[in-house]
Amino acid sequence: LKRRLGFHYARLLMWWKENRETGSEEFRLAAGHLKGRKRQGVRTDADVLRCIISLADQDKSATLVYDALVEICGNHAEDQFHLLRVGVIQLSKMNAKLECAELVKLFESTNMQVDDEVLFIARTTAELEPIF
């Protein structure tokens, strides 16, 4: 159904079917979509990345949020600065030090233009010295 109609419509149908478990099912579907697209070497839709970042929970999804942010940095950076900010804040809430440290390395190695606040949050979470 997802392949035939698209991710957006599959999500809408999930909301209609079972309201209590929709968030976890939507997250599971988005995670599978991200992993499949990553395996194929194909750009992931922004809706999928937004879903992963917004529905990630505290205990198990820091790696998926990190993967979504790397995808944003590589393919969606020009139009997804807000989503990048939300994802870094989400990693900070999860206290994902390793993932934040890797993001800081990515930002610095690619000379990617990121908001100062985003860089500060990532560096602080990773327990790196803030650069002023």
Side-chain angles (χ1 to χ4, degrees):
L1 181 65
K2 180 184 78 170
R3 285 186 208 131
R4 191 84 165 125
L5 295 176
F7 189 78
H8 176 71
Y9 293 108
R11 284 179 35 218
L12 290 176
L13 288 173
M14 287 171 42
W15 278 104
W16 176 76
K17 184 179 175 189
E18 180 59 51
N19 204 13
R20 288 188 317 247
E21 298 175 10
T22 300
S24 61
E25 287 298 313
E26 186 175 357
F27 180 79
R28 188 182 60 73
L29 179 64
H33 191 79
L34 174 65
K35 289 175 184 176
R37 302 291 265 185
K38 189 176 174 182
R39 200 175 319 116
Q40 296 170 348
V42 180
R43 181 179 175 173
T44 306
D45 299 331
D47 284 341
V48 173
L49 303 174
R50 188 175 298 108
C51 176
I52 289 172
I53 290 170
S54 64
L55 295 177
D57 57 7
Q58 300 291 85
D59 56 347
K60 63 179 180 177
S61 35
T63 303
L64 285 169
V65 172
Y66 170 76
D67 289 344
L69 291 174
V70 169
E71 176 78 18
I72 290 168
C73 291
N75 295 319
H76 299 275
E78 64 281 349
D79 57 347
Q80 296 296 331
F81 284 115
H82 175 72
L83 189 56
L84 184 66
R85 181 179 182 278
V86 171
V88 170
I89 290 170
Q90 184 74 288
L91 285 178
S92 179
K93 287 179 185 175
M94 294 177 178
N95 200 27
K97 296 175 185 178
L98 178 63
E99 288 82 359
C100 283
E102 291 297 318
L103 273 177
V104 170
K105 287 180 192 176
L106 178 67
F107 295 155
E108 292 173 351
S109 68
T110 60
N111 291 325
M112 183 176 171
Q113 297 293 331
V114 294
D115 187 39
D116 290 339
E117 181 184 6
V118 170
L119 188 58
F120 179 79
I121 292 169
R123 290 187 71 81
T124 304
T125 302
E127 297 180 350
L128 301 171
E129 289 294 317
I131 298 175
F132 295 103

